[in-house]
Amino acid sequence: MTVIKESTATGGSRAVVTARTPAGATPFTTEEIERIRADFPVLSRRVHGDVPLVYLDSSATSQRPRPVLDAERAFLETSYAAVHRGAHALADEATEAFEAARAAVGAFVGVDDDELVWTRNATEGINIVAAGVTDPSGEPTLRPGDEVVVTEMEHHANLLPWQRACARTGARLRWIPVTDDGRLDLAAADDIIGPRTKVLAVVHASNVLGTVNPVALLAARARAVGALTVLDACQSVPHMPVDVHRLGVDLAVFSAHKMLGPNGLGALAGRREVLDALPPLLLGGSIVDEVTMTTATFKKPPARFETGTPAISQTVALHAAVRYLEDLGRDRVAAHEHALTGRMLAGLAGIPGVRVLGPTSADDRIGAVSVVVDGVHPHDVGEVLDAAGIAVRVGHHCAQPVHRRFGVRSSTRASLYLYSTAAEVDAFLDALSGVRRYFGLV
Ligand SMILES: Cc1ncc(COP(=O)(O)O)c(C=O)c1O
């Protein structure tokens, strides 16, 4: 991270924390960010009468640009039909669009098209894997004495399915602890990942702490002991280049609605032979080769896991979303968010009574920044910010253990995306710095 001088509108200058990503990409210029924002109709909204919206809740769900909205609408107006079924022109067009989206989204995360399974969301993807390893017909199959390793900073989506998998099989759940500065304790990880480890399931970027974990390193260690590696890439795929194979993980999950795409769609992506060894979670139509009254044989992945009528137009929208992200350049998206995260962290450091959960430097960190305001409940913080048009998330963000790790039950999270601006970060800092005064605490 570096500090540079930025001219202010009044002709003065102020210190601004900025940064280059390791790849050397630069943040968006003011003109570029204006053009980007013009693509997102909702960002020009006013709330509570005439207060401009400051949307800092993109880690919960991101907003959608016109090309994504237009692509889905155009598909629905011209080519919508059931996929992989009908013998008519629309069914062919819909199937082609559905599979083209699969190929594009797969390429976006570095896997082949037969290595990307459409799911409802990331949560479903993890459940497919966690249920799969409790099924005796699958490989690997958890047995008593085996260990599943997660981290203390998991979203409940990557914790509860493993709790159940362990309870059902007699395997033991272990976790890599989090240090006081919000990083994984890698020395402990070295001991925890060992010969008994059958599964390592780890979050790439924490939705609470913002920490980006050293996944390649952890995956290499898990591979060396023959464990299956599962990556929760919900908060990384939208914000930085992610290549599943290059990271060395077997499987990864992510959700379309956090990366400019629609809700109701996610993906489970990873090594073909690993998917091929997993049994399906949901049983029913679209996934079978042969069915008798008492038996069924299943198709190869990805079809094996796509039970029932899938989300269809949503895949077309996600295809448009990855095109949009690629056109902007994922390195530049990361650089933009990195610079804004640095600005936010520097500003937060100057507000008395506000504590950041997680790393206080923007390195190896995404722009999901959770804070605790001394003496003020996050719901009250959220209300004060909302009155200023600032949309943040309050609560435990589906990650209670990591809050408990830092001695709190909940927090206030501001999260950035490619359309966020320095002015929005400053608006957040301004409003937050008034919260304790508002409640008579200073
Ligand atoms: C790190 C992480 N994992 C998993 C999820 C679950 O995603 P979804 O609700 O889209 O399945 C989220 C959503 O907030 C998340 O941030």
Side-chain angles (χ1 to χ4, degrees):
M1 194 189 302
T2 47
V3 177
I4 59 164
K5 294 282 181 190
E6 178 188 79
S7 313
T8 62
T10 52
S13 74
R14 66 176 161 219
V16 175
V17 179
T18 183
R20 285 172 178 273
T21 63
T26 49
F28 299 126
T29 63
T30 310
E31 293 72 35
E32 285 174 319
I33 200 70
E34 269 171 22
R35 273 202 302 277
I36 290 168
R37 286 177 68 84
D39 283 337
F40 291 80
V42 75
L43 297 181
S44 57
R45 257 209 68 175
R46 292 180 174 256
V47 292
H48 305 311
D50 201 27
V51 185
L53 171 70
V54 174
Y55 188 75
L56 295 179
D57 200 16
S58 292
S59 284
T61 199
S62 59
Q63 298 296 345
R64 299 173 212 176
R66 272 203 188 86
V68 170
L69 301 170
D70 292 348
E72 185 166 9
R73 186 180 183 95
F75 172 78
L76 288 168
E77 286 178 350
T78 62
S79 308
Y80 175 70
V83 293
H84 290 301
R85 287 187 199 163
H88 55 81
L90 284 197
D92 287 345
E93 282 176 32
T95 302
E96 213 171 284
F98 183 77
E99 291 304 327
R102 188 196 303 279
V105 175
F108 189 73
V109 295
V111 302
D112 288 338
D113 36 5
D114 64 333
E115 295 181 313
L116 185 122
V117 176
W118 294 126
T119 58
R120 266 192 313 141
N121 47 35
T123 304
E124 185 180 69
I126 297 166
N127 274 275
I128 288 173
V129 184
V133 299
T134 64
D135 188 322
S137 72
E139 173 57 40
T141 304
L142 290 178
R143 298 183 201 290
D146 290 340
E147 293 180 353
V148 173
V149 176
V150 295
T151 79
E152 202 178 9
M153 63 170 83
E154 296 308 322
H155 187 283
H156 298 165
N158 198 34
L159 177 60
L160 274 59
W162 300 112
Q163 290 178 348
R164 176 186 273 179
C166 288
R168 284 187 172 164
T169 59
R172 176 182 176 209
L173 185 68
R174 302 190 69 185
W175 53 91
I176 302 167
V178 169
T179 62
D180 289 344
D181 59 355
R183 304 277 178 197
L184 287 182
D185 182 339
L186 295 177
D190 247 5
D191 289 336
I192 292 168
I193 303 170
R196 289 176 185 272
T197 309
K198 245 332 181 358
V199 177
L200 171 74
V202 57
V203 69
H204 198 176
S206 162
N207 65 314
V208 175
L209 307 176
T211 315
V212 176
N213 291 318
V215 170
L217 192 135
L218 294 169
R221 171 109 181 106
R223 241 192 352 265
V225 297
L228 174 76
T229 49
V230 185
L231 184 67
D232 175 354
C234 258
Q235 299 290 353
S236 56
V237 166
H239 301 284
M240 65 188 75
V242 173
D243 185 307
V244 173
H245 290 321
R246 233 182 263 162
L247 278 173
V249 294
D250 291 315
L251 300 168
V253 299
F254 52 96
S255 281
H257 70 94
K258 294 184 193 290
M259 51 189 291
L260 311 181
N263 50 349
L265 180 68
L268 165 65
R271 289 174 52 218
R272 161 181 312 111
E273 53 276 31
V274 174
L275 287 170
D276 204 27
L278 276 180
L281 170 62
L282 293 176
L283 303 184
S286 309
I287 65 166
V288 283
D289 281 328
E290 282 294 324
V291 179
T292 70
M293 283 312 291
T294 53
T295 62
T297 57
F298 301 116
K299 287 184 171 154
K300 290 190 89 53
R304 181 189 301 166
F305 302 102
E306 295 175 359
T307 319
T309 306
I312 300 172
S313 63
Q314 292 89 333
T315 66
V316 174
L318 182 60
H319 190 169
V322 301
R323 250 193 243 121
Y324 191 91
L325 286 164
E326 273 166 351
D327 286 350
L328 288 182
R330 276 181 287 171
D331 281 340
R332 294 205 66 203
V333 169
H336 178 73
E337 293 175 30
H338 189 65
L340 291 184
T341 305
R343 186 183 189 101
M344 186 180 289
L345 291 169
L348 288 169
I351 306 178
V354 168
R355 173 164 66 114
V356 173
L357 302 182
T360 48
S361 129
D363 297 331
D364 294 323
R365 195 193 203 293
I366 58 162
V369 181
S370 300
V371 297
V372 176
V373 180
D374 279 354
V376 188
H377 193 279
H379 284 110
D380 295 329
V381 177
E383 252 178 60
V384 173
L385 297 180
D386 181 48
I390 300 166
V392 294
R393 172 114 183 231
V394 297
H396 54 62
H397 323 311
C398 299
Q400 289 185 13
V402 77
H403 279 92
R404 201 167 292 123
R405 162 66 181 82
F406 287 96
V408 289
R409 290 191 64 79
S410 55
S411 61
T412 303
R413 182 185 70 194
S415 53
L416 304 166
Y417 205 8
L418 53 88
Y419 39 67
S420 303
T421 66
E424 289 184 317
V425 169
D426 293 350
F428 167 70
L429 294 169
D430 267 2
L432 193 71
S433 63
V435 166
R436 296 188 80 238
R437 199 170 41 249
Y438 181 90
F439 286 102
L441 294 171
V442 281

